[in-house]
Amino acid sequence: PLPMGAEFDHLGYESHITQEDVLVRNGIITPEEKKNRELLREVMKKAGYRALHSEWWHFNLYSREEAKKRFKVIE
């Protein structure tokens, strides 16, 4: 595992990818943790996934609308 600056499934400010420069500047995450997050995003983007801006660990393959068209809801 690589250090990411916040645990998987952590929903706090530390997980926001749009604030990573501020998080590094304020010593909340390290430059290495930011670099690891960027690496993960790069790999996932090449595989066709999109990042969720508020969670460094969350990626979607389809938009909500597209997923509703493609898949049935399991109840």
Side-chain angles (χ1 to χ4, degrees):
L2 297 174
M4 298 295 202
E7 295 296 318
F8 174 81
D9 273 349
H10 176 72
L11 298 175
Y13 177 72
E14 302 85 359
S15 293
H16 290 218
I17 68 173
T18 57
Q19 299 299 313
E20 288 173 339
D21 289 331
V22 173
L23 294 170
V24 170
R25 227 179 1 260
N26 292 334
I28 296 169
I29 68 172
T30 67
E32 177 189 8
E33 291 164 339
K34 180 178 184 266
K35 183 178 175 185
N36 291 340
R37 292 177 180 201
E38 292 168 342
L39 173 62
L40 176 62
R41 285 195 298 273
E42 179 183 333
V43 169
M44 295 299 285
K45 183 177 179 181
K46 285 182 181 178
Y49 290 84
R50 289 174 280 169
L52 190 67
H53 292 240
S54 60
E55 301 164 357
W56 66 262
W57 43 267
H58 191 150
F59 296 85
N60 292 327
L61 184 56
Y62 303 111
S63 68
R64 229 175 239 185
E65 296 77 28
E66 184 65 23
K68 285 178 184 179
K69 291 177 190 174
R70 290 176 169 262
F71 306 105
K72 290 183 179 183
V73 174
I74 299 172
E75 297 186 32

